[in-house]
Amino acid sequence: MPMNPKMPLAVGLPLSLFAGLSMPVQGRINGALGARLDDGLAAAVVSFSTGLVLMVLICVLAPGARSGMRRVLPAIRARKFPWWYLLAGASGAILVLSQGVTVALIGIALFTVAAVTGQSVSGLLVDRLGLGPAGKKSITPLRVLSALLTVAAVAWAVSPKFSAGTDQAGLLALVLLPLVAGFLQSFQQAFNGTQSAHYGSPFPATMVNFIVGTVLLYIAWLVKVAVAGPGNPLPAEWWYYLGGPIGCLFINFATVLVRSLGVLLTGLGMIAGQVLGSLLLDVLFPAPGTIITTATVLGTLLTLAAVVLATLPWPRNSFAVLRRRKGQR
């Protein structure tokens, strides 16, 4: 996916929806792998390892990716961006770890609400600070309203699933992990987008993400094995190993899109894709205990409406106009 000039909203927003569709699939796979291995940390290691192998192949075989990799060290030496932007992969590692550890325990519904809440809040913050390649974006009432509406819509869409399990109420502490993972997602997207603007390709930033995340996860997993021992052996089914390649797709799209849409709108578009993808996954490949009600469908539609709301322009100096009118009364 080349780093072309900024794409129009009519192109970027559907692409963000498409990228978001992949996340429920990755969550389902990594959650199932964590349960199969009886080790969520090992599932995260497997996911990042397969993603890293794929990125190495791409960066070796694709000419555009190879040329982008040659720009990494010069960009770092020239201090084109803060060095700690290279640690963006830690955010992805925490997200994948949270999938492997919590999805089997709290369910994909509660996981999704927690992650969406964290990402919606941080999307506003990151855009306001101007950490992404799109620069600073004002926090307008419409942007705040769309973020709040997104969280409410996702909660509504997945609310029928809350009654599907009886153990969720006693496991609310586990919600903190996907909440933090979601909050860090906006920072990861901003840092990757800034790096890729200097590399001329999204692949080097994705490659660095998987290197950093894989190293951190292996260190944590080795400590866990030393303390508690290994989990179950790796499964033979091939689909358990698709989580990493799906992560490559997601990170590459996010890296490109934040340059045009900004962090908040990219995040909201991907969130809408996640909710829509969850609905399609439940319809086409329902898991045990799957519940689809009117709230599921209407909440999904409301999420899409919240994303559209975020694209609407807020009139400049609107507050000043209102104050003048009030003063004339």
Side-chain angles (χ1 to χ4, degrees):
M1 198 171 187
M3 295 296 290
N4 293 325
K6 291 186 178 181
M7 65 184 68
L9 182 65
V11 176
L13 200 55
L15 285 177
S16 69
L17 287 169
F18 173 76
L21 289 172
S22 66
M23 290 307 291
V25 180
Q26 186 192 44
R28 179 80 69 87
I29 291 172
N30 288 338
L33 181 59
R36 178 71 175 268
L37 297 177
D38 193 25
D39 188 342
L41 186 53
V45 169
V46 171
S47 180
F48 256 74
S49 297
T50 55
L52 178 59
V53 170
L54 178 60
M55 287 311 304
V56 169
L57 291 175
I58 291 174
C59 289
V60 169
L61 299 177
R66 286 202 307 269
S67 63
M69 288 298 297
R70 288 194 289 268
R71 299 188 187 103
V72 173
L73 288 179
I76 296 172
R77 294 193 187 103
R79 298 183 180 180
K80 298 290 187 180
F81 49 82
W83 66 267
W84 38 269
Y85 275 34
L86 298 170
L87 301 179
S91 172
I94 293 174
L95 177 66
V96 174
L97 174 62
S98 66
Q99 290 173 341
V101 171
T102 67
V103 166
L105 298 174
I106 67 176
I108 193 66
L110 198 54
F111 176 92
T112 302
V113 172
V116 164
T117 301
Q119 188 171 357
S120 298
V121 172
S122 63
L124 286 168
L125 176 62
V126 170
D127 268 352
R128 182 65 184 88
L129 295 175
L131 297 178
K136 289 185 178 181
K137 292 184 177 292
S138 301
I139 300 180
T140 65
L142 278 180
R143 289 167 68 81
V144 175
L145 178 60
S146 64
L148 294 175
L149 188 60
T150 298
V151 175
V154 172
W156 189 23
V158 302
S159 61
K161 300 180 183 179
F162 290 145
S163 60
T166 58
D167 297 332
Q168 291 178 350
L171 297 169
L172 288 180
L174 288 172
V175 171
L176 291 176
L177 188 55
L179 182 67
V180 171
F183 185 83
L184 293 176
Q185 281 298 289
S186 296
F187 290 90
Q188 181 187 28
Q189 293 167 4
F191 295 168
N192 286 340
T194 299
Q195 290 180 65
S196 295
H198 296 288
Y199 302 152
S201 168
F203 295 113
T206 305
M207 177 72 168
V208 173
N209 269 231
F210 274 94
I211 292 174
V212 171
T214 301
V215 169
L216 293 176
L217 287 171
Y218 265 103
I219 292 173
W221 178 70
L222 290 173
V223 172
K224 181 264 175 188
V225 169
V227 173
N232 297 326
L234 292 173
E237 294 86 349
W238 60 271
W239 60 269
Y240 278 114
Y241 304 96
L242 294 179
I246 291 174
C248 293
L249 174 72
F250 181 82
I251 294 174
N252 273 299
F253 268 97
T255 298
V256 174
L257 291 171
V258 293
R259 188 183 182 195
S260 301
L261 304 181
V263 176
L264 177 64
L265 191 52
T266 297
L268 294 182
M270 288 186 167
I271 287 168
Q274 289 177 46
V275 178
L276 182 60
S278 295
L279 177 60
L280 293 175
L281 200 62
D282 285 345
V283 171
L284 299 176
F285 305 100
T290 294
I291 300 174
I292 300 176
T293 67
T294 302
T296 307
V297 178
L298 293 181
T300 301
L301 295 177
L302 185 59
T303 307
L304 298 174
V307 176
V308 173
L309 182 64
T311 67
L312 300 178
W314 181 258
R316 290 187 175 184
N317 302 321
S318 54
F319 290 119
V321 172
L322 290 175
R323 283 196 296 269
R324 283 198 301 269
R325 289 178 179 176
K326 185 177 180 180
Q328 291 172 359
R329 292 177 182 174

